[in-house]
Amino acid sequence: MPGTPSVPQPGNRWFHRRVAIPAALAVAVLTVSAVSPASSAPAPSAVAAPARHAPKPTVVLVHGAFADSSGWSGVVARLRHDGYPVIAAANPLRGLDSDAAYVSSLLDSVSGPVVLVGHSYGGEVITNAAVGHANVRALVYIAAFAPDQGESGLALVGLNPGSRLGEALVVRPYAVAGGGGADGYVDPAKFRTVMAADLRGSDTELLAAQQRPVDLAALQAPSGVPAWKTIPSWYLVAGADRAIPAATEKFMARRAGARTVVVDGASHLVMLSHPGRVENLIVQADEATD
């Protein structure tokens, strides 16, 4: 497993240019900015819903790095069509501990049961945020990291070959009151090949331009006690993922005891290319834990 590279410091010649960082560094990727998903019209779930008397749970969706919550648009439309309350959380992307604390505070504000869903780096966030929340009855990982205690995305992505993110990473400094750090982006010229090969080029150009960066320190942070050890989990493997290798996704799903589906040929941005498959898995998680 590769060692942890140092994060560049202000003034370093790495800033303001593309840097070749091992694939392990570009781990927490990507939910995305808003584009029209492959099929924009809402469609009811393919899963037949049994009769139920209790209200449906709130589905909380957590995006990954270089992104915002609008990447869930196609999934949100389908869930709402099927009667689910939905919150697409604004993941801050500033640090694993602080991001998880933010989502945890959001969960505190939701009355009733929750199905908590994470994509990519968002999977790390929900793994930590759900701990101690009795109202979270299911975790759903969408091509996401599901770390064990002490692991980081940086460590997990190196378990298997196939990630091409390191060669596409662009690092830029940022400044805030009292300090600053280093942000990571994906090179727009490589975005479609690495992240979204099953989406149209015109859509991926928008996604690449609308990225929200992640603080690179968030990708190196060790995870805490994982919620998947006590909360039932589901996992969607993107079969042609070039960000997190599918073999790594399958390993994490198996370790967590997650009920797993594989979408053959799907890129890392599977919630955009296959929003119906993602929604179906969320509905399955709800119905299995009702």
Side-chain angles (χ1 to χ4, degrees):
M1 187 174 301
T4 302
S6 60
V7 175
Q9 300 301 314
N12 190 296
R13 61 188 177 87
W14 281 7
F15 287 131
H16 307 292
R17 67 181 181 91
R18 292 194 297 271
V19 293
I21 292 180
L25 185 55
V27 293
V29 213
L30 279 167
T31 322
V32 288
S33 306
V35 297
S36 299
S39 176
S40 58
S45 168
V47 180
R52 65 191 298 163
H53 303 288
K56 289 188 175 182
T58 298
V59 178
V60 176
L61 304 165
V62 181
H63 65 80
F66 314 148
D68 64 27
S69 57
S70 61
W72 293 109
S73 294
V75 177
V76 170
R78 286 162 171 77
L79 287 167
R80 288 177 56 82
H81 183 277
D82 286 344
Y84 287 90
V86 183
I87 299 173
N91 188 356
L93 307 181
R94 297 295 84 190
L96 180 57
D97 289 345
S98 59
D99 293 344
Y102 176 85
V103 173
S104 178
S105 68
L106 175 61
L107 297 175
D108 286 336
S109 73
V110 179
S111 59
V114 169
V115 174
L116 185 57
V117 185
H119 173 251
S120 196
Y121 170 67
E124 292 189 74
V125 174
I126 69 170
T127 295
N128 290 270
V131 173
H133 288 277
N135 62 328
V136 177
R137 69 187 196 193
L139 301 171
V140 183
Y141 293 90
I142 307 299
F145 286 100
D148 204 345
Q149 186 171 8
E151 292 179 340
S152 67
L154 176 65
L156 283 168
V157 79
L159 288 178
N160 294 283
S163 177
R164 297 180 59 182
L165 286 169
E167 66 197 55
L169 190 67
V170 177
V171 179
R172 296 187 176 99
Y174 73 87
V176 295
D183 269 342
Y185 298 77
V186 174
D187 182 350
K190 299 177 180 179
F191 188 94
R192 184 170 187 264
T193 298
V194 175
M195 302 309 305
D198 57 350
L199 292 175
R200 295 176 301 181
S202 57
D203 285 344
T204 58
E205 288 174 3
L206 291 175
L207 298 175
Q210 295 169 347
Q211 294 179 64
R212 278 187 56 220
V214 62
D215 188 315
L216 295 181
L219 312 186
Q220 301 173 358
S223 186
V225 175
W228 50 256
K229 288 193 173 180
T230 56
I231 300 174
S233 61
W234 281 254
Y235 201 109
L236 186 149
V237 173
D241 200 329
R242 293 175 182 170
I244 304 172
T248 300
E249 294 177 6
K250 291 175 182 177
F251 162 76
M252 292 184 290
R254 184 170 58 251
R255 180 177 63 179
R259 278 160 272 195
T260 303
V261 298
V262 179
V263 181
D264 292 330
S267 72
H268 191 60
L269 302 187
V270 62
M271 70 286 194
L272 285 173
S273 58
H274 297 277
R277 297 292 298 272
V278 172
E279 195 248 1
N280 286 347
L281 189 63
I282 294 169
V283 172
Q284 289 175 32
D286 165 35
E287 293 177 353
T289 55
D290 186 12

